[in-house]
Amino acid sequence: MNRGALKAKTSKKLIIKGQVVPGRQQGRYLGFPTANIDTQHEELKNGVYGVLVHLRGLEHIGVMNVGVKPTFGSELSKTFEVHILDFNDVIYGETVQCDVIFRVRGEKKFPSIEFLKHQIKADTLQAKQRFQHMGYVSSEATASKLGQARYLNLPDLQFFNWCHSQFKVNKGIYNTIDQWFYDEGIENIHPRRVHVIAFLQFAQEGNERKTEKEGVLRFGAGGLTNQLREFMNGYEKGEW
């Protein structure tokens, strides 16, 4: 697959956009109110995702469930429902856009509603921790506005220094990663930094699995490009 085709397919599958419509209120019953998005996106796999939610000119972090909610029944239609962290406004009729950042888990049927409640709590905590690791702040004080994100707003050199301290990446590798995402069409600095951090986390986890220890990220000849393509292919397939 050439890079142009990869970019086109990836950008199509990463964005869920539509109007918020009334749903069955199952999320509110479970203690996690959701916005039910009227959209069609059959290629995105059913499951739970960490998403950036664009609403009213601001960006928030959230957890989106895509699927048929098999715990509640066997013949329900596919829905796209997003729980926006630290957000309680009524937004029926408004348009939201959700950028899929990573995959939490696949869809499954649970033995009871109570079991499902515990799983949703675990999913939300995992998503919040991953976003925080990527530099996002979610709290009532900031209302999850990305304009308040601690690391994404750093000057270029300080942002690189933070990446180096967190992931042990050198300047040359960092510049190559940043340029690669820019060439893929991610020109705005905030989304590009989100992708840089997400990739570095992906590469670090792969490095630790292979070496069984933490250390400087090493890619070898051609290894960086291959891992970047693997990372983006994972987005395309809904694996992260």
Side-chain angles (χ1 to χ4, degrees), residues 162-176:
W162 179 83
C163 289
H164 174 71
S165 68
Q166 294 293 313
F167 304 102
K168 306 300 186 293
V169 61
N170 66 42
K171 185 66 172 179
I173 294 295
Y174 168 84
N175 286 339
T176 301

Side-chain angles (χ1 to χ4, degrees), residues 92-207:
Y92 291 133
E94 299 189 43
T95 298
V96 300
Q97 175 180 311
C98 297
D99 297 345
V100 179
I101 303 301
F102 54 81
R103 182 176 170 90
V104 177
R105 63 171 174 84
E107 182 175 58
K108 63 180 295 185
K109 182 177 181 179
F110 295 96
S112 68
I113 299 300
E114 195 62 31
F115 196 104
L116 175 59
K117 287 182 180 180
H118 288 296
Q119 183 62 53
I120 293 174
K121 288 181 181 179
D123 294 340
T124 303
L125 178 60
Q126 178 184 344
K128 181 179 289 189
Q129 289 174 338
R130 290 189 67 174
F131 274 121
Q132 288 174 342
H133 185 72
M134 294 163 65
Y136 290 97
V137 178
S138 174
S139 68
E140 293 181 2
T142 62
S144 303
K145 298 175 186 176
L146 297 189
Q148 300 294 325
R150 178 181 177 186
Y151 303 114
L152 295 180
N153 293 317
L154 289 173
D156 289 343
L157 180 57
Q158 291 183 37
F159 179 71
F160 162 71
N161 288 337
W162 179 83
C163 289
H164 174 71
S165 68
Q166 294 293 313
F167 304 102
K168 306 300 186 293
V169 61
N170 66 42
K171 185 66 172 179
I173 294 295
Y174 168 84
N175 286 339
T176 301
I177 295 168
D178 188 51
Q179 184 67 48
W180 197 91
F181 283 122
Y182 182 87
D183 292 342
E184 288 297 311
I186 308 173
E187 298 180 357
N188 293 334
I189 192 166
H190 264 194
R192 194 166 72 251
R193 284 183 171 182
V194 168
H195 280 73
V196 168
I197 295 173
F199 171 73
L200 289 172
Q201 184 178 29
F202 162 81
Q204 183 183 63
E205 291 171 353
N207 185 69

